[in-house]
Amino acid sequence: MRGIRRALMKILVLVPLAIFASVVAIGPGNLVSYAPAARVGVHSVIAFWISIPTALGVLAFQEKRSQTNLWLMSALSFPMVVHIGSAALNLFRDPESLIIRALPDTVSDMFELALLSTLLAGACVSIGRDSDNQEQKIPALLLTPILLLIPLTIFGGIWILVLPLLTFESLIALSSLFGIIAVSGFLVSSVFVLRFRDTEPPIDAGFFVSSTLLFAASGIALMLTAFTPLLNWEFAETLQMASYLLLALALGVPFLKRAGFRRRTAYGIIIGLILMAYLPFLITIVIESSPLPLEIPPNLLAYSIIHIGAASLSAMMAILLYIYPKNKTSWNQYPLIYVFGMWCGIAIIQVFLLLFPSIAPLGEPITPYNVVSLLTFGLLYLFVIWTKHPPIDREETPSLFRLALGLTGLITAIIAGEAINQLVLISNPSLSGNPASNTLILVTNLFIMFAFAYIIFLLSEDSNGEAPVELYVILFLAMWILPNILKSYYTIWTAGWWVSEFLLFIGLLSGPLVFTWLYVRTMHEVEESHRRANMYADLLMHDVSNYNQMMMMSMELLGSHEIPEEQRTRLADDGRQVISFSEQLISNVRLLSEAEQLKTTELQPTNLVHTIVGALDLFTRRIGTGELIVEFQAEESQASVMANDLLAHIFLNILYSALECRIRGETVTIGLHETEYSGENFWQIDIKAPGRSEEQEEGFSSGTLGLLAARLMTESLNGYFEMETFARTDICEGRLFSIKLRATND
């Protein structure tokens, strides 16, 4: 019920807020531009926002070929392709003209919403079926391309062939029909998502239902547009933008949280992706609405500084990516080496062409950007393949000579493409200014942004909350891609073109910061490894030697015939405890030495009560009865958390640390209750136990190491480990451990 209340609270806040913000944006805010460049920006930002959940849908379908994932992938990919196509079509309009919407355009928008709602409803109904049935049907192989292509084919056919031929009355009737279908489909989707909370892939019900309700409101607004001039299409389009934004949050945030990222980090990554796509759109609106002149005098010096700096930064990144796999083999970084190498080459080529205009008399050529964009998309595909299926059968990684040879071939292809382009334009000047080249670079880079989103989620899936180096590299590479979107509809030396150069300059400034941060993080990891290595050496020399001496002493005393039977039993128990302490110490050293592997261990729903009971039974078998008296109280026997086999070791280490107090019959209490922390559901385990005071300990002891291992293992489970101390009347200190683990139903 807590999750339902949280979802309803999001709906009650987000839906009215989005409607109010849309009214303000198109009313007093006047954030509306009817220029073709602005329309390109609108459709581009929608295409990228919808590509975020689309990437998750594709990833989910690749991992599990179910009908739910197929419907979801089709529902999300359909509007992404439609809006990419709409952005490209606006490049063929006269840049000086204003966009005028006709009734067929409104009907086509209604038809798009109707198809989207039908596909989303199909996905949500499939979620309900998957929840009711244990056995899920695998869709037929032929059904996949059919369900992906049919919506696009139907939409394109009706939009191009049917709508222009219909009368006004027929268009009004179709608008009403499509509107009813759209609103009904979105309402059905809302009901099913609220009914089934544990979905696969994970969906935030609050964001998803808010998105579908805004889609429904957009459909109603479009229907009213056909009947009354009081409402305009800008309001409906703004609501759709808000809907796609919330849809990205609805799928992206739960996925990253399940992958191990903290709540704030998950929101930060998704919102960062959203804002990254929104930046070119916002810049376009500001430029088109500004009274300042769009033409700015050429400045070859500034252009050269920016591009030479960008080339240097790209070369540095390629070199670092080449050095990194030398210490840690990672095949997926080699395609990125080629990507940065190409962008280094194109930056130098563009400077050369502008400094020597006789070679390229038409100004900054767009063809190199097209060629590099296509090659980048292909290399990103290779990156995905080698991330999922690394060529581990190859014994040797590519040599520097082979990398240089391959990069030379790519640069040669770029130069050859521009040479052919210049020859064609010189022989046929009428082709100059043709928007086909700009369309290619726009469409390619929008699909590259989709690839970025897919790769980010692919890398995050197995990271368990620890972002790998490749993730930062991909985000950094976006600073080269975003300017290309602006250059696709702004010509050289215009305000929009200069803004794209400014974005590249910002990337240039952020480069040293990124490199410095990665270097500091690497050095910190090295220092931490050295510190742990020294600690392990001290432990193995000190504690293991002590345990060995204690064991030898117990064996010698047991061999004496003068020892009474009662003391002999006590010595045998002490020897067994020493062996158990040694086993636990060795286990902790092994676990701590494999700290990096702990961060990527797969988490599964685990019964917390059964795990605690199992740990207590194992502890009793190792130590014996009477050493500690454990009292365990749980509010619920079915407490389930996301964990793995390491969970039991957390409780074992705390119990072993309590034994170091050396007070026989000491009581340890364990309590379990559900709590909420940072807006998420957790199961909290409170353990009250004795422990050695700091005055009794010299450096690291096995108990200190055990608590360090317990903390590390808790963090590897994406939980929180806290310890408070309090005074006691004896030589020991009191300790209160609070362990929070994420509930599976969150």
Side-chain angles (χ1 to χ4, degrees):
M1 292 300 296
R2 182 180 298 174
I4 295 294
R5 289 197 300 268
R6 189 182 300 123
L8 292 176
M9 183 61 66
K10 288 180 180 178
I11 296 169
L12 293 175
V13 172
L14 292 174
V15 173
L17 181 62
I19 294 175
F20 175 76
S22 300
V23 172
V24 172
I26 65 175
N30 196 27
L31 295 177
V32 179
S33 175
Y34 301 96
R39 305 310 307 158
V40 174
V42 169
H43 290 290
S44 297
V45 72
I46 292 178
F48 180 67
W49 282 357
I50 194 61
S51 71
I52 296 174
T54 302
L56 289 169
V58 173
L59 189 61
F61 181 75
Q62 289 178 339
E63 294 183 352
K64 185 178 181 181
R65 295 177 57 86
S66 65
Q67 291 185 1
T68 298
N69 292 336
L70 178 57
W71 277 98
L72 187 63
M73 181 174 63
S74 177
L76 297 173
S77 60
F78 163 68
M80 183 188 75
V81 176
V82 168
H83 284 282
I84 289 177
S86 299
L89 286 176
N90 279 282
L91 290 177
F92 289 86
R93 298 179 183 269
D94 183 3
E96 303 299 329
S97 64
L98 297 179
I99 301 298
I100 300 177
R101 296 269 298 187
L103 184 57
D105 298 320
T106 301
V107 177
S108 67
D109 288 346
M110 288 300 308
F111 186 43
E112 177 191 344
L113 287 179
L115 285 175
L116 174 61
S117 69
T118 303
L119 294 171
L120 274 181
C124 294
V125 171
S126 296
I127 290 176
R129 291 178 178 176
D130 292 345
S131 301
D132 295 334
N133 300 326
Q134 297 295 331
E135 296 183 1
Q136 300 178 10
K137 296 182 179 180
I138 299 177
L141 185 62
L142 187 61
L143 184 61
T144 301
I146 290 177
L147 202 56
L148 289 176
L149 296 178
I150 280 184
L152 291 170
T153 304
I154 294 176
F155 177 79
I158 291 181
W159 178 41
I160 297 173
L161 301 177
V162 177
L163 293 182
L165 304 178
L166 296 180
T167 62
F168 178 82
E169 291 76 11
S170 300
L171 291 174
I172 292 294
L174 273 182
S175 176
S176 302
L177 176 62
F178 292 152
I180 293 173
I181 295 174
V183 173
S184 302
F186 290 129
L187 293 179
V188 169
S189 303
S190 303
V191 171
F192 271 87
V193 168
L194 284 174
R195 181 182 174 188
F196 301 100
R197 294 188 58 237
D198 295 329
T199 60
E200 186 62 39
I203 298 175
D204 187 300
F207 286 131
F208 185 87
V209 175
S210 299
S211 174
T212 54
L213 291 180
L214 288 175
F215 274 127
S218 172
I220 295 173
L222 281 176
M223 280 195 296
L224 295 177
T225 302
F227 296 100
T228 174
L230 296 179
L231 288 177
N232 50 27
W233 57 269
E234 296 92 334
F235 176 69
E237 186 178 68
T238 307
L239 287 180
Q240 289 183 36
M241 293 183 68
S243 302
Y244 287 121
L245 186 151
L246 292 176
L247 195 58
L249 291 171
L251 274 75
V253 171
F255 175 86
L256 292 176
K257 287 167 62 178
R258 179 174 291 189
F261 287 90
R262 305 292 185 187
R263 182 169 174 265
R264 293 181 180 178
T265 305
Y267 275 99
I269 293 175
I270 300 300
I271 293 176
L273 288 173
I274 290 172
L275 293 179
M276 182 173 63
Y278 189 71
L279 187 60
F281 165 70
L282 181 62
I283 292 171
T284 303
I285 295 296
V286 172
I287 291 175
E288 296 298 327
S289 304
S290 174
L292 298 177
L294 297 181
E295 293 290 340
I296 298 178
N299 191 329
L300 290 178
L301 178 60
Y303 181 88
S304 301
I305 291 175
I306 292 174
H307 280 257
I308 292 176
S312 303
L313 196 60
S314 297
M316 188 183 303
M317 182 66 83
I319 293 172
L320 291 176
L321 287 172
Y322 174 74
I323 296 174
Y324 183 78
K326 291 294 183 181
N327 301 321
K328 182 180 179 181
T329 303
S330 180
W331 276 87
N332 61 2
Q333 293 183 3
Y334 290 105
L336 297 180
I337 294 175
Y338 282 123
V339 171
F340 281 102
M342 285 193 308
W343 285 105
C344 172
I346 191 177
I348 296 175
I349 291 172
Q350 296 292 63
V351 172
F352 181 80
L353 292 177
L354 280 186
L355 291 179
F356 299 94
S358 59
I359 300 177
L362 300 176
E364 184 192 40
I366 203 73
T367 301
Y369 289 111
N370 279 323
V371 177
V372 172
S373 298
L374 291 172
L375 293 175
T376 299
F377 189 75
L379 289 170
L380 289 178
Y381 176 77
L382 184 61
F383 175 91
V384 171
I385 296 299
W386 281 357
T387 299
K388 301 176 69 173
H389 308 288
I392 55 178
D393 54 330
R394 301 186 184 181
E395 298 181 357
E396 296 183 358
T397 57
S399 63
L400 182 60
F401 174 76
R402 291 175 59 187
L403 288 173
L405 188 63
L407 184 59
T408 302
L410 294 175
I411 298 296
T412 303
I414 297 171
I415 296 175
E418 177 54 27
I420 295 173
N421 176 62
Q422 291 293 331
L423 291 175
V424 171
L425 292 179
I426 291 173
S427 61
N428 193 352
S430 61
L431 294 177
S432 179
N434 190 293
S437 182
N438 299 73
T439 302
L440 179 60
I441 190 174
L442 174 67
V443 172
T444 305
N445 281 275
L446 286 176
F447 275 107
I448 287 176
M449 296 302 288
F450 161 74
F452 280 175
Y454 177 86
I455 291 173
I456 288 172
F457 293 126
L458 178 65
L459 294 173
S460 302
E461 187 177 24
D462 298 325
S463 65
N464 203 21
E466 292 290 332
V469 174
E470 295 90 343
L471 183 61
Y472 297 102
V473 173
I474 290 297
L475 291 174
F476 186 67
L477 185 60
M479 297 304 298
W480 270 255
I481 304 301
L482 286 176
N484 291 345
I485 297 177
L486 288 171
K487 287 186 177 182
S488 65
Y489 49 90
Y490 282 117
T491 57
I492 188 171
W493 309 125
T494 59
W497 182 89
W498 272 112
V499 170
S500 70
E501 294 297 305
F502 177 74
L503 288 177
L504 191 60
F505 182 69
I506 294 297
L508 174 64
L509 293 179
S510 64
L513 298 177
V514 174
F515 290 146
T516 302
W517 182 81
L518 291 175
Y519 175 78
V520 171
R521 192 181 77 163
T522 303
M523 293 302 297
H524 176 73
E525 292 176 353
V526 172
E527 292 176 359
E528 183 68 16
S529 298
H530 283 297
R531 188 186 69 83
R532 288 183 177 178
N534 293 331
M535 181 184 70
Y536 302 152
D538 293 341
L539 284 168
L540 292 175
M541 292 177 62
H542 181 265
D543 287 352
V544 174
S545 298
N546 287 345
Y547 289 148
N548 185 52
Q549 292 177 4
M550 293 169 62
M551 189 64 195
M552 294 298 295
M553 185 179 299
S554 298
M555 295 295 292
E556 291 178 2
L557 292 175
L558 286 173
S560 175
H561 298 287
E562 300 177 358
I563 301 297
E565 188 64 26
E566 182 178 350
Q567 293 185 8
R568 187 181 298 275
T569 303
R570 180 63 181 173
L571 285 172
D573 291 339
D574 290 343
R576 183 171 59 181
Q577 287 188 19
V578 169
I579 294 175
S580 181
F581 272 117
S582 299
E583 291 177 348
Q584 189 67 16
L585 175 63
I586 294 172
S587 174
N588 286 330
V589 171
R590 178 180 57 81
L591 290 173
L592 288 173
S593 64
E594 298 175 354
E596 293 301 320
Q597 285 77 5
L598 294 181
K599 297 177 182 179
T600 57
T601 306
E602 185 178 0
L603 305 182
Q604 298 290 342
T606 305
N607 190 300
L608 184 56
V609 176
H610 292 174
T611 303
I612 295 177
V613 172
L616 295 177
D617 291 341
L618 179 60
F619 180 77
T620 302
R621 290 197 302 269
R622 288 181 177 180
I623 301 300
T625 59
E627 293 295 332
L628 290 177
I629 299 175
V630 181
E631 299 177 355
F632 177 35
Q633 296 179 349
E635 291 183 355
E636 187 175 340
S637 61
Q638 299 299 322
S640 181
V641 297
M642 297 301 295
N644 50 36
D645 294 337
L646 298 176
L647 181 58
H649 291 275
I650 298 174
F651 307 114
L652 286 174
N653 279 301
I654 293 176
L655 294 174
Y656 274 106
S657 69
L659 278 180
E660 291 193 349
C661 191
R662 309 297 294 176
I663 299 180
R664 184 178 176 82
E666 186 68 28
T667 300
V668 175
T669 60
I670 302 177
L672 175 64
H673 64 277
E674 191 175 11
T675 185
E676 184 173 338
Y677 183 77
S678 298
E680 301 179 69
N681 291 339
F682 286 82
W683 283 101
Q684 179 170 326
I685 307 99
D686 296 321
I687 304 177
K688 187 177 181 181
R692 293 179 61 184
S693 61
E694 294 182 0
E695 291 77 9
Q696 295 175 285
E697 300 186 16
E698 297 179 0
F700 286 97
S701 70
S702 58
T704 304
L705 180 68
L707 296 182
L708 176 62
R711 178 183 298 276
L712 180 63
M713 287 184 282
T714 303
E715 293 174 352
S716 73
L717 302 179
N718 304 315
Y720 299 91
F721 184 96
E722 298 176 356
M723 185 186 75
E724 298 179 2
T725 60
F726 55 90
R728 288 168 46 112
T729 57
D730 49 29
I731 60 174
C732 298
E733 67 177 13
R735 293 173 177 174
L736 178 60
F737 300 92
S738 295
I739 303 169
K740 297 184 182 70
L741 298 172
R742 297 178 187 273
T744 55
N745 61 350
D746 182 64

